[in-house]
């Protein structure tokens, strides 16, 4: 059972996991190195626990204690109860959802392990915006993609913003980082996947014409907002595909494009 501990000092070392949550560079360095991530809000905390992540501690305002009582009773971790003003001093922002939890990361599977059982895979290159990462994971979970591969320079799916935007869907879709890039794409092809590069280039084949839902195993490649896939990644693809556009629009936000493309990969012709 989690122990309820009232904390009144923002410099209390027991709150270390929650300090400076708005300092992106600090958290990028600290969280993977210390093996933790932050879950924010009741639903996300519950989903992290259901996905098997161990809780290190919780930080709650008093009014959230009753709401989270069942989680507190089951968690063998301390629960720090603080005033909302103190929470803001520690984290750097007003904690609207009133509940934070520090969770222990799990070892990532290897790309080879993921590919053995998957049929529909998302491959992201240089997607370093946490909001886009979260949106793509949410769509991947909702639309039935099996796994995600991330290039080494992609943002952390377990960063607080990514987790929040995904509504915890980052816990539902397994992911891995290939050892080399873009060399790791060859291992994807060797595992029997057709590599489809999503690009607005007019030379690409329309998704409905490519008919990825009829392919046995598909790896859909997505690039960063603005820049898109690199030349080396495009060269590594088996085929370029695009979403048909109307009214002179040349491209979509990568999160929106991903959702449309996932629908086409899993079920058929995209609705645009």
């Amino acid at each position: 059972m989690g122990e309820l501990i009232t904390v009144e000092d923002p410099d209390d070392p027991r709150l270390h996991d929650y300090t400076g949550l708005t300092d992106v560079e600090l958290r990028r360095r600290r969280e993977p190195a210390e093996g933790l991530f932050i879950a924010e809000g009741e639903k996300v905390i519950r989903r992290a626990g259901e996905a098997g992540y161990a809780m290190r501690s919780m930080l709650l305002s008093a009014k959230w204690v009753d709401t989270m009582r069942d989680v507190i009773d089951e968690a063998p971790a301390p629960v720090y109860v603080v005033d909302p003003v103190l929470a803001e001093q520690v984290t750097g922002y007003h904690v609207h959802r009133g509940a934070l939890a520090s969770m222990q990361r799990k070892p990532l599977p290897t790309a080879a392990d993921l590919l053995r059982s998957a049929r529909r895979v998302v491959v992201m290159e240089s997607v370093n915006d946490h909001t886009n990462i979260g949106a793509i994971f949410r769509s991947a979970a909702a639309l039935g993609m099996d796994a995600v591969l991330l290039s080494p320079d992609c943002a952390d799916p377990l960063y607080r913003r990514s987790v929040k935007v995904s509504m915890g869907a980052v816990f539902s879709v397994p992911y891995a980082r290939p050892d080399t890039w873009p060399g790791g794409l060859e291992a994807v092809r060797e595992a029997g996947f057709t590599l489809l590069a999503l690009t607005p280039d007019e030379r690409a084949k329309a998704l409905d014409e490519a008919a990825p839902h009829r392919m046995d195993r598909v790896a859909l490649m997505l690039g960063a907002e603005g820049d898109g896939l690199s030349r080396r990644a495009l060269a590594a693809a088996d085929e370029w595909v695009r979403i048909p556009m109307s009214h002179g629009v040349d491209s979509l936000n990568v999160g929106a494009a991903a959702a449309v493309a996932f629908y086409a990969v899993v079920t058929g012709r995209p609705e645009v």
Side-chain angles (χ1 to χ4, degrees):
M1 176 178 176
E3 179 186 3
L4 289 174
I5 303 169
T6 300
V7 179
E8 298 178 344
D9 180 1
D11 296 320
D12 191 311
R14 292 174 294 182
L15 305 184
H16 173 74
D17 286 0
Y18 305 97
T19 56
L21 294 186
T22 58
D23 188 332
V24 178
E25 289 307 317
L26 172 66
R27 301 305 301 197
R28 278 176 175 167
R29 294 192 303 272
R30 269 189 53 193
E31 291 188 10
E34 297 178 17
L36 66 94
F37 69 93
I38 299 298
E40 180 178 5
E42 177 190 359
K43 289 182 180 179
V44 172
I45 292 171
R46 291 182 185 279
R47 287 173 183 172
E50 291 164 0
Y53 289 93
M55 185 180 292
R56 294 160 60 107
S57 67
M58 268 200 293
L59 183 71
L60 302 177
S61 58
K63 71 177 184 178
W64 280 86
V65 170
D66 288 343
T67 301
M68 302 298 293
R69 175 59 65 181
D70 60 319
V71 178
I72 293 169
D73 289 345
E74 294 176 6
V79 179
Y80 303 118
V81 181
V82 300
D83 182 272
V85 173
L86 187 142
E88 185 170 352
Q89 289 176 301
V90 173
T91 63
Y93 74 105
H94 179 62
V95 185
H96 297 283
R97 295 171 185 263
L100 296 169
S102 175
M103 312 295 293
Q104 190 72 38
R105 289 176 182 248
K106 297 188 287 189
L108 287 183
T110 66
D113 286 341
L114 287 191
L115 294 173
R116 286 191 188 98
S117 58
R119 293 187 60 248
R120 299 289 183 259
V121 173
V122 187
V123 180
M124 286 191 248
E125 180 189 49
S126 303
V127 179
N128 49 31
D129 180 272
H130 293 102
T131 298
N132 285 335
I133 287 280
I136 291 169
F137 265 87
R138 188 173 184 182
S139 293
L143 296 168
M145 301 297 284
D146 299 320
V148 175
L149 297 181
L150 301 167
S151 70
D153 55 350
C154 277
D156 179 11
L158 294 183
Y159 180 70
R160 179 177 60 92
R161 180 65 179 166
S162 302
V163 174
K164 183 178 178 181
V165 170
S166 80
M167 290 298 293
V170 293
F171 310 137
S172 303
V173 185
Y175 68 93
R177 294 185 187 266
D179 294 331
T180 60
W181 190 268
L185 293 174
E186 186 55 38
V188 180
R189 181 180 290 106
E190 290 174 357
F193 288 83
T194 301
L195 289 164
L196 300 182
L198 188 65
T199 172
D201 194 297
E202 62 183 15
R203 294 172 293 176
K205 185 181 291 187
L207 268 169
D208 56 336
E209 183 182 352
H213 62 294
R214 296 196 182 101
M215 298 176 182
D216 183 43
R217 307 183 94 183
V218 175
L220 181 70
M221 300 163 58
L222 305 172
E225 189 78 27
D227 294 336
L229 291 163
S230 68
R231 285 181 293 178
R232 291 197 301 164
L234 288 169
D238 295 307
E239 192 169 3
W240 295 5
V241 294
R242 61 180 174 83
I243 298 170
M245 301 284 175
S246 302
H247 301 293
V249 177
D250 60 357
S251 63
L252 297 173
N253 166 276
V254 66
V260 173
F262 296 163
Y263 182 87
V265 165
V266 174
T267 63
R269 190 174 188 272
E271 298 295 333
V272 295

